């Protein structure tokens, strides 16, 4: 059995990090149920829950649609994830 207070007070840990697209084309990604476009050369600050997946929505030269680009973990905290 799980204690009742654990069910109501369990919090996922948020992790803040930056993603930067170093390729020459925009990469459309899906984070949870939200989509965003990572423009070439522009950093994007993110704050996501541990376990969230960042998935490529469109195919590019380097990534097929559906490719998991990153899975958020505490190790990403205050880092920059670079897509090439």
């Amino acid at each position: 059995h799980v204690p009742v207070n654990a069910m109501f007070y369990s919090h996922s840990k948020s992790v803040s990090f930056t993603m930067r697209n170093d390729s020459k084309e925009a990469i459309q990604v899906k984070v949870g149920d939200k989509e965003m476009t990572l423009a070439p050369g522009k950093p994007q600050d993110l704050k996501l829950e541990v376990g969230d997946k960042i998935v490529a929505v469109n195919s590019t030269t380097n990534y097929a649609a559906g490719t998991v680009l990153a899975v958020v973990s505490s190790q990403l905290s205050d880092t920059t994830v670079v897509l090439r």
Side-chain angles (χ1 to χ4, degrees):
H1 295 288
V2 175
V4 173
N5 63 343
M7 293 189 321
F8 290 109
Y9 297 107
S10 64
H11 296 285
S12 295
K13 182 174 173 20
S14 292
V15 177
S16 296
F17 63 99
T18 302
M19 286 196 81
R20 189 178 72 232
N21 175 6
D22 278 358
S23 73
K24 298 199 184 307
E25 55 190 315
I27 301 173
Q28 190 171 356
V29 296
K30 187 171 186 178
V31 180
D33 58 357
K34 181 180 169 187
E35 289 190 12
M36 64 175 46
T37 300
L38 300 173
K42 293 193 176 177
Q44 177 71 47
D45 293 330
L46 300 171
K47 184 174 183 179
L48 303 172
E49 301 296 317
V50 169
D52 282 352
K53 291 181 182 178
I54 301 168
V55 180
V57 173
N58 61 325
S59 292
T60 65
T61 304
N62 297 325
Y63 305 103
T67 300
V68 176
L69 303 173
V71 178
V72 178
S73 72
S74 59
Q75 294 175 331
L76 291 180
S77 183
D78 298 323
T79 64
T80 299
V81 176
V82 179
L83 303 175
R84 298 178 194 252

